[in-house]
Every structure is written in structure tokens, then in C-alpha cells.
């Protein structure tokens, strides 16, 4: 009798978050490599102030990107539960404030995590 050994790569993902750089941060974004399910990622954006700006997060990784917007004090938006990025990919999030959907990004900050 012989036994076969199978090796699988294990990735240690990392979470990250970022706040806009204004004096009372109006935007907060986060990336969680183990979202609602063990093989799912979770990206969230929250608008923390009722100031007429919307909080946006632009997330990017090799092979993909997305943008989420939240508008209104205390409002948050996140990816759907089945959202997945391949393990080991570096994910960059950039959080900004904008006046309107197409407004110029202001008070931006970036952070990186690993899926």
C-alpha cells in the first residue's frame, strides 16, 4: 500500500482599512480577506458625516477593480456575500470624498491588504 501526499499552498491574507484625511474623517473604507464566508472577501465604505460629500472606495487588484459609494451620515455600502478575489492577490483600497458621483476626489488615503 502506498500513500500519496498532496501539498496545497496556504495564504495568510491580511485585512486593512483607511480613513479620509480631512480633519474629521468623513469616509472610512475597509477590506476583510475573510468576509462573511471563509473563501469570500468583503469591501465596505461608510460615509461618516452629513456634509454633502459622498464617501467612495476604489478597490483594485491584479485582474479586477470596483468602486463603491456611500452617501449620507452613517450610511455604509458593501460587496455582496459571494464576492471573491483569488487568494494571495494584493488588494489596494483608496478612500476619498466627492461632491456627486463624478466630483473630483478629495482627502484621499490608500491602504493594502492581501486576499
Amino acid at each position: 500500500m502506498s500513500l500519496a501526499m498532496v501539498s496545497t499552498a496556504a495564504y495568510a491574507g491580511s485585512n486593512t482599512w483607511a480613513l479620509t484625511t480631512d480633519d474629521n474623517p468623513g469616509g472610512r473604507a475597509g477590506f476583510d480577506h475573510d468576509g462573511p464566508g471563509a473563501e469570500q472577501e468583503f469591501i465596505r465604505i461608510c460615509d461618516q458625516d452629513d456634509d454633502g460629500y459622498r464617501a467612495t472606495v476604489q478597490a483594485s487588484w491584479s485582474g479586477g477593480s470596483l468602486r463603491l459609494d456611500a452617501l449620507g451620515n452613517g450610511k455604509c455600502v458593501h460587496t455582496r456575500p459571494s464576492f471573491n478575489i483569488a487568494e494571495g492577490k494584493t488588494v489596494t483600497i483608496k478612500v476619498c470624498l466627492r461632491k456627486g458621483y463624478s466630483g473630483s476626489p478629495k482627502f484621499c488615503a490608500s491602504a493594502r491588504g492581501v486576499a
Side-chain angles (χ1 to χ4, degrees):
M1 181 168 149
S2 65
L3 296 174
M5 298 287 288
V6 177
S7 174
T8 58
Y11 292 100
S14 61
N15 302 333
T16 194
W17 58 274
L19 296 171
T20 53
T21 61
D22 48 320
D23 61 355
N24 184 22
R28 180 183 73 220
F31 167 76
D32 184 340
H33 79 283
D34 279 330
E39 296 301 319
Q40 297 153 349
E41 281 65 43
F42 189 74
I43 297 172
R44 169 181 232 142
I45 180 71
C46 295
D47 185 346
Q48 303 186 133
D49 288 327
D50 190 15
D51 56 6
Y53 284 92
R54 68 178 56 218
T56 66
V57 63
Q58 178 71 38
S60 58
W61 58 94
S62 176
S65 66
L66 66 78
R67 176 178 159 176
L68 298 173
D69 290 43
L71 178 60
N73 187 23
K75 301 283 189 220
C76 295
V77 176
H78 56 82
T79 50
R80 65 190 185 282
S82 60
F83 182 70
N84 190 39
I85 299 171
E87 301 303 304
K89 298 255 185 193
T90 297
V91 177
T92 301
I93 60 171
K94 181 179 179 182
V95 61
C96 300
L97 297 179
R98 298 174 187 259
K99 285 278 191 184
Y101 184 85
S102 300
S104 298
K106 299 179 184 269
F107 306 111
C108 299
S110 297
R112 291 182 186 200
V114 178

